[in-house]
Each structure stands twice: as C-alpha cells, then as structure tokens.
Amino acid sequence: MTISLNGQWQLTCVQRAALQDLHIDLPGDVHSALFAAGEIPDPYWATNEKKVQWVGECDWIVSRQFDLTEAQLACNAMDLVMDHLDTVAEIRLNGHTVADFNNMFMRHKVDVLSCLQVGSNRIEIVLHRADLAAKKRADKLPFPVPWAEGNNQIPHMNTLRKTQCHAGWDWGICLSVLGVYGDIELQPIEHVRISHISTKQKWLEQECELSVTLNYEVVSDKGLATAAVTFDDQTFQLTLDRDATKACVLFRIVEPRRWWPAGYGKQRLYDLKIEADGSKIDKKIGLRKLELITEDDELGQSMVFKVNDVDISARGANWIPMDAMPARMTDERYRSLLEDAVAANMNMLRVWGGGMYEKDIFYELCDELGILVWQDLMFACALYPSTPDFVAEVRQEVEYQVRRLKDHASLALWCGDNEVIGAISWYPESRQNREKYLVNYDRLNRALAEVVEQEDPSRRFWASSPCNGELDFGDAWHDDKRGDMHFWDVWHSGKDLEAYQSVTPRFCSEFGFQSWPSLPTVKTFAPEQDWNITSPSFECHQKNSRGNSIITEMFTRYFRFPNGFVNMLYLSQVQQAMAIKTAVEYWRAHKPTNRGILYWQLNDCWPVSSWSSLEYSGRWKQLHYHVRRFFDQQMATFIRDEQGVKLHLINDGRDSAELKGEVVWQSWAGEILYREPISEFLNPDSTKVTWEWLNEDLEGHETEGFFHVHLRNGEKLIENTYFPAKPKECELEDPDLRFEVAELHGEIFVMLSSSKPAFYVHLEFEGEGRFEDSSFTLVPEHQRQVKYIGSASVDELVQGLRVYHLKQSY
Ligand code: BMA
C-alpha cells in the first residue's frame, strides 16, 4: 500500500533565522505558504512582485516527521516518489542524503528502504535557489548559450530544467517559485516494480487490436509476481517472468466505439485496469486513428491532422501554466478552463514550451472533452546547451514524459520546442556564428526526436513551432506555404489588422493581440488610485514593454478614442476580438489550404494585461465570446476582396448543414436599405460563397452603414456584422439600449432591446458566472434574451451588471 507524504510540512528559510518551522502544505509552493503565514504580501497585488523577489533568492528546507510500522517496512524495496519537484533539491532521510535532484520535469524515484526505520522518520527537502544554480551551470558551458532575454528577468534559466516562465515572461510575473507541486509517496515493492504501461493500437478496417505492455523490474527472486490486465470487460491473468522485463497482452475490439475530437463525434473512453504486485494502474483509452499529414501540393505542403480518416480543422489556442503560484493549480480550475475551451468550440490546445508538461488531470480532461493536444517539449525562445550532460538529462526527461502521456487519445503531436529555431537569429552570438549554433540546436533536437521516435512511433515529431518542415530552418514567421506559422506581423511588427489577410497559413499555431483586463479583474490587483493605464500597478501588470503603446496606438487607427479608464479597458477588448476575428474568419474561409488555427493565448497565470481570451479569474473576455462564434462548426463571414464584399459560409461538420435567413445592409439609424434572403445547403467539410456586393456599388457609401447576416442552422443562431469602413469613420447613433434582468422558468436572462443598432454590446457582471453570449451586434428588429450562466440571483445580477456598447465608449 502506497504511503502518502502529502499534507502538512514545515518550512524553514536557510538565510533568515526568523523564518523557522512555518506551515506549508505539500503539494504546494513556498510563496503560497509564506503568503498564507502572513510573511509576504499578495504577490499579485499592485507592485508587490518587487517586494517578494527575496523569496526566490533564498534556500528553503521543507521537512516533516512520519511514522512507519514494521509491517509497512516488510518489503523488498521502498521507493520515494516525487512529482513536480521544483527544482534543485537535496533529499535527506533521517539525516542521510538520499538524492540530489535537479529536473522539475521528471518523476523522481529512489529506493530509500535502507534509510527508513520503524517508528518516527524525518524527511527534509532542501530547495536551492534557482538563479545561482543556473548561473553555475552557465559558467561551465563550453561557449555562451543565449538565454531568453526580454522574457526572463533572471539569466540562464535555459540551463535548468525548470518552467522557463518562472523567471518572468512577456505576460508572466517573475517569482522564481520553488516547491513540490505533485504527490510525494513511499511505494513499498514486494516482487516487481512496474515502471510503466504502454498501449499500442493497430487498425484493421473496423477492428482495433490493442496491445498492452507492462514494463517491469524484478526486485526479489522469492515468490511469484502476477498481474491482471482488464480492458473493458475482458481480463487476462499473467505470471510475470522473472527473467524478462516486459509482458504483453493483446485485446481485439471489433467495431469499437471510436474517440473523436470535439465537434466531430463522441469521446468514448474504455477502461484499462492493471493490478500487479499490490499496485493498481487505471487508464482511460480512446480508440482512434490519428495521423498528421504533410504532403507536397501546388501551394507548398499541407499540414492536417486526420482522425479516423477524417481531415480535422484544428481550432483552438495556446495554453500556458494555469498559475504562477503552483499551489493554486486545482483540478476544478483545470476543468473549468478546459470546459470553457470546448464551450468556445475549440478542439485543440497547444501546451506551450515555456511552461510545463501538464499534470495528468489536464490530459485526462482533454480525453474526456475531445481536445487534441499539440505538446511542445519544454524549451522556449532561448538557445539550449547540447553538452553531453544536458542532452543525457533531457533524454531521460523526454523518455519519462512520453511514456507518461502517450496513451492519451487526445495527444496529437510531439513538438520539439517553442521558437528555438527562430531564436537562432535573435541573439548576437548566434547571429554571428549561425552554423555553430545551428549544429548545437540540431544536436539537442535530434536527441529529442530519437527519444520520441523510440518511445512513441505512433506519433510524429515536429522539430519546433513554428517550423516549415523536416530540416527546414527557414522563416516560419513569414512563409505561409508549408508547416506551422507564428504570425506576429500585426502585434509585434505593428501592421494593420488587415495584414492577417495577407497570408493563408497552412496551420497557424500562434498569432495574438493583447487587451487589458476587465474592470472586475483590475480591481483584484490595482488600488483605485492606480486605475490608470500608466500607473505603477498597471505597468507592473503589463510585461510586454511596448504593450500599452501598441493597444493605444491601434485605438487611434480604428476607433474614436475612448473616454475614461473603464472605456479604455472595454475598447481594448473590442479591439482584441476584432483582431483575432479578422484573422480566423479569413483563414477558415480558406479551407482546406488552412487546417489549423491556434491563437495566442487561452489563459493567464496571474491577473495581467495579455493576449489571453480568459482572464486569470476565468472570466471570459469579449474575445472568448467571439471565439465561440467564429470557431463554431458552421459560420458565416463577410470578406472583402478585389471584386466586393462576399458572404462566405463554412461548415466543418461531418454532416451537411442547411442555413436559412437573410443579409441586410442597414444604416446607423437602423433603416434597412437592402435585404436579401439566404438559403444554403452546405456539404460536410465545405465552404461556399453565397452572396456578394460589388465594390463599385459600395464605393462612396462605405461609411453609411453595415452588413449584417442573420441565419438559423436548425435552432442555432449564426450572426455576423461587417463594417466596410473603420469604426472611427462611421457616425454611429445612440442606440437607446434598454435591458432588464428577468427570471424565466428558473433561469435568469438579460433582455436587451434598442431603437437603433448597437455594436459590441457587452454584458459584464462583477460577480461569478458568464453569459451565453456577449459582445454582439444588437439590431432593433431582433431583441435578445441572453441567458446568465452562474449562481447569482436576479438581485445580485441587477446590482452588479454593466452593459457596454461601442457608441458609449467615446
Ligand atoms: C510567442 C510565444 C511567447 C510569447 C508570445 C507573445 O511567440 O511563444 O513566447 O509570450 O509570443 O509575445
């Protein structure tokens, strides 16, 4: 029986005598414990980030006592197992040093039986400060290896196998956290140690053959070790051969119920249970075929994930670590973020390489919810050593992670790193000696590829994100003909939003646009005197040096300048939504050239100005409401080209769809100047241009009104709005917007109506919950009843509801 050492531990600071034997909960982190003990202020509040830097500049000891009985020690080995140990740590048991660890991405395991005793035992974990360890490693490198300057506030994090954004990022607080974020256990071993279980699916027409391999190590030569392997309702009993290290069982499943990504079908998961030598392992297995197809074509090379022989249009975002204080990463928050991804019609997330290999719960939820996972290995925006020591350490890490994660149906791709190919051109050392740094890159990258190919031949290894393809070190920031692209010409290079339509990426794995947080989130980190974009609190919560200027400057290009702080926040979220919408709708209309869109970024790890669509609190930004519409399987969008404004209909579904409704051209006063019915039948996985307004009929009238499409797909509403001119050029009228909160059949609705069109009508509630829809166009002839999803009462909603629209922002 496993003995858990999770729970209450003591925390002692090596350098500060006053900080002795404080309480710390493990799994947990030092900052969270100090905050709970009142020793540091809330690191996320105002400019407290600066005040807590000393924490990461100390060494810490976490310790506890635990009792063991004679019966518990009557085994042949006792493994101390630790997950997510961050990072440079010495482990002492009853005064003996049993291990030195320094890789946060490993599951550390060491047999400690000889150091344990009946009765009271003491374990101590010395957590060394990361900055000095990183510097020491950097000093030993044969040549300088540039670290992620510009993102990291602490140098040389690239030498340590630790979450790279712990040292700060262009959306991340720098805390240099330390702690143990996973379980700490003692695992007694009788006869065999099961190292890992591995499954393989082989498909023959309508049949799947599942092989299950137990990898084990014999610890004692006395007694027989047996195992029982159960898949669904079939069980095999095995005797484990003492001279072997593997045992394999084959299951044949005829006409299995398959696992599909969200939107393409159900997520059927089968139970796999293994019981061996007293330990139990449970897995959920989704049976599906999954391939990444990259084929030369007339444009360059395709990039498409195929699941069960169906081409998937991947739609989603980039995932960063959920919290800068890891103790706050709870299962409930994982669920709620991932459910919000699926609620916004996503079917893929990219686990970004500057964060961490996520916790098991993340992948379990992705299996359950149908979210494909693009998994980066943990390297980002810096160059990395290729010394034998470093490569050997990383090999072990990747082997462990691939073995841990490969049986998840949701896992779609192993990708070597984030932007490391690109980073070769960023730093003076590597720019001046490109060959040397390219070889250095490839040595490490080759090792990663080898481990992945050996451990998981069922999936592709993609060298880097972005990358133009096998051994292609070209400019995947600008080449849209092949591979995955990171398109940052708008945000980082200052082009207009229309630049999104100058490329058609085969697969866009990053592009993004920042906004400021909503007022309720601002209140969680800024005192009222700092409710100003350039206040110290606000600037501390903007980590992209040009971020506030870019947002503000972009206002001047598209909008009338907002009046007051609250409207600046609101408009920044309108602008962000408009930016991402411009890109996504255009690229989706260019299916099948494009088969993947992942915007930067889904979530925040603390309350901050960033590219996210979900705020730290989980609150939906306006963008997330737009995402729900523009990622919907059926979508309608207006795109202007050399001929005119065209209405494109898109169906990503495996079934056909029938869309019925109308397009109108309407004045700002709400007068319908033109109306045309639309009735279209869409084939599965298709696009169609259904309507067009010629440029020659539009020229000279661009500022007079807007196009609006209102369609029904069965019960579902599909709407979209198009301004032929920039919003700042248009004389919007006061819509006379009215709203009222009402309860109908036990549900709460906000009823909205207006006498003139209102744009980006956004509902913001101070309390918990969200709305079924928001940030939409409200036209006089279609009043809206918007459902509130949450637990507040009608009264609370009335008290805390703010309704915005574009015209009132200036
Ligand atoms: C990307 C990411 C991150 C970064 C983001 C915004 O390219 O990979 O490094 O946070 O841009 O600048």
Side-chain angles (χ1 to χ4, degrees):
M1 270 288 276
T2 296
I3 303 157
S4 171
L5 297 181
N6 291 351
Q8 300 193 2
W9 291 54
Q10 275 87 50
L11 175 69
T12 291
C13 180
V14 174
Q15 287 81 5
R16 297 195 177 196
L19 299 177
Q20 301 286 321
D21 293 331
L22 303 172
H23 172 97
I24 181 170
D25 285 317
L26 293 188
D29 64 84
V30 172
H31 289 74
S32 295
L34 292 173
F35 178 48
E39 297 291 346
I40 56 168
D42 176 1
Y44 296 173
W45 177 257
T47 53
N48 286 350
E49 178 182 6
K50 293 190 198 98
K51 298 186 191 148
V52 302
Q53 287 307 308
W54 65 269
V55 178
E57 292 161 6
C58 291
D59 304 303
W60 297 87
I61 301 174
V62 290
S63 60
R64 67 167 282 176
Q65 303 282 132
F66 58 95
D67 290 331
L68 291 175
T69 62
E70 205 167 329
Q72 283 173 314
L73 286 170
C75 49
N76 291 306
M78 181 75 87
D79 287 349
L80 171 66
V81 184
M82 306 174 90
D83 242 343
H84 290 96
L85 168 62
D86 185 12
T87 289
V88 186
E90 179 190 336
I91 317 296
R92 297 185 199 143
L93 256 180
N94 297 326
H96 308 278
T97 295
V98 292
D100 283 302
F101 294 131
N102 39 43
N103 185 326
M104 177 187 158
F105 305 131
M106 285 294 297
R107 182 168 208 230
H108 298 296
K109 211 182 236 192
V110 55
D111 179 7
V112 294
L113 187 61
S114 62
C115 302
L116 295 171
Q117 61 204 29
V118 176
S120 171
N121 290 267
R122 179 176 172 81
I123 179 168
E124 287 179 336
I125 306 172
V126 187
L127 298 164
H128 292 289
R129 57 189 284 187
D131 56 347
L132 294 186
K135 165 91 172 63
K136 213 158 129 193
R137 287 177 160 222
D139 288 344
K140 287 195 193 133
L141 292 174
F143 54 87
V145 181
W147 51 280
E149 265 175 85
N151 284 318
N152 282 172
Q153 295 179 34
I154 299 171
H156 310 303
M157 291 305 296
N158 54 343
T159 65
L160 271 193
R161 300 309 295 144
K162 170 176 172 66
T163 291
Q164 301 286 281
C165 64
H166 283 174
W169 210 262
D170 62 0
W171 35 259
I173 185 172
C174 169
L175 289 181
S176 200
V177 276
L178 2 83
V180 189
Y181 318 137
D183 293 327
I184 310 172
E185 292 174 345
L186 286 170
Q187 293 178 349
I189 292 161
E190 202 61 43
H191 305 293
V192 291
R193 177 183 280 126
I194 304 291
S195 63
H196 68 284
I197 307 289
S198 162
T199 69
K200 197 156 98 195
Q201 300 178 18
K202 191 165 145 198
W203 286 86
L204 321 140
E205 298 293 319
Q206 291 310 310
E207 196 178 304
C208 180
E209 201 179 86
L210 181 82
S211 64
V212 180
T213 307
L214 271 73
N215 295 272
Y216 62 90
E217 194 188 319
V218 176
V219 171
S220 138
D221 50 8
K222 288 186 223 98
L224 275 185
T226 56
V229 183
T230 307
F231 181 80
D232 202 20
D233 54 4
Q234 303 175 54
T235 301
F236 283 94
Q237 300 285 348
L238 305 174
T239 303
L240 301 179
D241 183 345
R242 224 186 283 292
D243 301 320
T245 55
K246 278 179 205 280
C248 189
V249 181
L250 260 193
F251 296 91
R252 184 155 286 126
I253 306 105
V254 181
E255 299 204 349
R257 277 174 286 165
R258 297 185 188 222
W259 183 94
W260 288 93
Y264 287 85
K266 293 205 168 121
Q267 290 77 47
R268 164 72 200 197
L269 294 170
Y270 291 87
D271 285 317
L272 173 65
K273 290 184 190 300
I274 295 113
E275 284 193 53
D277 200 26
S279 52
K280 276 196 191 142
I281 297 164
D282 286 343
K283 290 195 174 204
K284 298 254 184 225
I285 302 292
L287 300 175
R288 89 284 179 275
K289 278 208 254 179
L290 187 143
E291 300 153 272
L292 169 64
I293 308 292
T294 47
E295 272 170 1
D296 289 344
D297 57 22
E298 64 288 353
L299 293 169
Q301 195 178 72
S302 66
M303 182 160 186
V304 50
F305 288 92
K306 228 181 188 58
V307 177
N308 299 323
D309 301 312
V310 172
D311 286 345
I312 303 295
S313 290
R315 299 180 301 261
N318 284 269
W319 170 275
I320 62 162
M322 184 203 283
D323 209 298
M325 286 159 75
R328 299 182 181 184
M329 297 179 177
T330 61
D331 289 3
E332 296 70 47
R333 288 179 66 205
Y334 274 104
R335 177 171 286 281
S336 122
L337 281 170
L338 293 171
E339 284 183 349
D340 283 349
V342 172
N345 293 307
M346 297 189 190
N347 58 29
M348 183 180 270
L349 290 174
R350 170 171 171 247
V351 177
W352 168 75
M356 63 196 237
Y357 303 95
E358 271 301 337
K359 297 196 171 185
D360 290 339
I361 181 76
F362 174 89
Y363 304 94
E364 287 161 10
L365 287 165
C366 288
D367 287 347
E368 177 192 319
L369 297 168
I371 303 174
L372 294 167
V373 177
W374 171 308
Q375 179 70 47
D376 282 1
L377 304 182
M378 293 299 127
F379 304 89
C381 297
L383 305 187
Y384 287 85
S386 67
T387 53
D389 287 0
F390 190 82
V391 172
E393 182 178 348
V394 163
R395 271 183 182 272
Q396 268 189 22
E397 161 195 324
V398 175
E399 181 185 274
Y400 162 65
Q401 292 294 347
V402 174
R403 287 177 180 178
R404 176 172 75 101
L405 301 177
K406 66 186 270 290
D407 291 334
H408 287 282
S410 54
L411 204 117
L413 183 73
W414 298 106
C415 170
D417 61 61
N418 173 71
E419 299 190 344
V420 179
I421 291 182
I424 300 172
S425 326
W426 298 350
Y427 301 103
E429 295 90 338
S430 49
R431 262 208 301 270
Q432 280 153 24
N433 201 344
R434 188 172 166 86
E435 285 90 344
K436 174 171 173 169
Y437 285 89
L438 198 57
V439 172
N440 177 66
Y441 173 82
D442 192 54
R443 282 189 183 163
L444 178 63
N445 195 255
R446 229 39 9 219
L448 304 177
E450 274 167 28
V451 178
V452 169
E453 277 151 22
Q454 175 199 315
E455 295 298 325
D456 184 10
S458 77
R459 291 188 182 84
R460 285 279 291 276
F461 173 80
W462 191 252
S464 179
S465 182
C467 177
N468 286 140
E470 184 68 18
L471 285 179
D472 190 323
F473 299 100
D475 179 1
W477 273 260
H478 297 100
D479 182 352
D480 65 350
K481 300 287 178 275
R482 60 190 69 242
D484 71 317
M485 188 173 195
H486 287 189
F487 189 72
W488 283 103
D489 276 21
V490 175
W491 177 264
H492 285 300
S493 307
K495 292 194 180 160
D496 284 342
L497 303 187
E498 290 69 26
Y500 285 124
Q501 305 189 341
S502 67
V503 290
T504 310
R506 309 311 299 262
F507 197 109
C508 197
S509 44
E510 268 190 29
F511 63 106
F513 202 94
Q514 271 203 4
S515 67
W516 290 310
S518 64
L519 185 60
T521 293
V522 168
K523 290 181 181 174
T524 67
F525 70 80
E528 199 163 343
Q529 72 269 18
D530 274 6
W531 290 6
N532 188 302
I533 304 307
T534 48
S535 69
S537 297
F538 227 79
E539 289 194 345
C540 178
H541 289 73
Q542 166 61 275
K543 298 298 186 192
N544 185 203
S545 54
R546 294 185 48 249
N548 289 342
S549 317
I550 298 175
I551 297 175
T552 314
E553 202 243 8
M554 208 57 114
F555 283 170
T556 66
R557 293 196 211 172
Y558 290 92
F559 298 100
R560 300 199 183 179
F561 208 78
N563 72 46
F565 177 68
V566 175
N567 280 325
M568 287 187 77
L569 302 181
Y570 160 78
L571 192 68
S572 79
Q573 297 205 359
V574 167
Q575 178 167 270
Q576 177 192 32
M578 191 164 113
I580 304 306
K581 176 178 189 289
T582 303
V584 171
E585 295 188 355
Y586 182 80
W587 297 338
R588 282 195 68 189
H590 288 77
K591 183 174 76 168
T593 300
N594 174 277
R595 276 297 189 184
I597 305 176
L598 309 176
Y599 64 85
W600 184 266
Q601 72 207 64
L602 181 73
N603 53 323
D604 281 334
C605 65
W606 71 309
V608 66
S609 304
S610 85
W611 299 266
S612 74
S613 62
L614 295 173
E615 296 182 354
Y616 173 65
S617 60
R619 179 180 291 276
W620 287 31
K621 285 184 179 171
Q622 294 189 53
L623 171 58
H624 210 76
Y625 289 103
H626 285 263
V627 174
R628 185 168 166 274
R629 292 192 294 263
F630 64 57
F631 273 171
D632 200 348
Q633 288 221 313
Q634 288 78 35
M635 193 261 285
T637 180
F638 296 97
I639 293 172
R640 190 168 188 180
D641 62 19
E642 312 77 59
Q643 285 110 36
V645 175
K646 294 174 183 164
L647 182 64
H648 296 248
L649 302 179
I650 291 123
N651 178 20
D652 279 355
R654 282 166 67 208
D655 297 320
S656 56
E658 225 178 324
L659 308 187
K660 286 199 166 99
E662 61 175 5
V663 179
V664 297
W665 164 244
Q666 199 165 340
S667 74
W668 307 118
E671 201 186 334
I672 309 250
L673 307 168
Y674 162 96
R675 187 192 285 278
E676 189 164 322
I678 302 283
S679 173
E680 275 295 357
F681 179 86
L682 294 176
N683 286 324
D685 193 23
S686 67
T687 60
K688 194 180 240 177
V689 174
T690 184
W691 170 95
E692 177 174 0
W693 184 287
L694 294 178
N695 279 335
E696 60 211 53
D697 297 328
L698 187 57
E699 272 148 27
H701 303 283
E702 276 106 336
T703 61
E704 289 168 14
F706 62 100
F707 294 107
H708 188 72
V709 57
H710 181 94
L711 301 171
R712 289 267 168 202
N713 172 25
E715 291 285 286
K716 198 155 55 168
L717 178 65
I718 299 179
E719 280 193 305
N720 213 335
T721 300
Y722 179 75
F723 283 28
K726 291 179 176 160
K728 67 177 180 181
E729 295 161 353
C730 305
E731 283 311 326
L732 304 188
E733 296 198 13
D734 181 354
D736 181 23
L737 187 108
R738 294 168 302 269
F739 65 92
E740 143 184 25
V741 181
E743 196 167 333
L744 288 177
H745 316 296
E747 293 184 317
I748 301 178
F749 290 85
V750 182
M751 332 284 256
L752 294 130
S753 62
S754 67
S755 348
K756 289 176 184 167
F759 304 95
Y760 295 96
V761 176
H762 181 50
L763 311 179
E764 183 180 276
F765 174 48
E766 287 273 348
E768 169 277 337
R770 65 166 172 99
F771 296 91
E772 195 171 30
D773 203 359
S774 196
S775 199
F776 48 73
T777 302
L778 185 67
V779 289
E781 53 173 359
H782 299 296
Q783 304 197 348
R784 295 281 299 252
Q785 289 187 359
V786 181
K787 191 158 94 185
Y788 162 70
I789 303 170
S791 56
S793 66
V794 170
D795 284 350
E796 285 163 340
L797 207 63
V798 171
Q799 293 294 314
L801 184 67
R802 205 177 287 112
V803 179
Y804 300 82
H805 60 87
L806 189 57
K807 169 72 182 166
Q808 55 79 60
S809 69
Y810 53 89

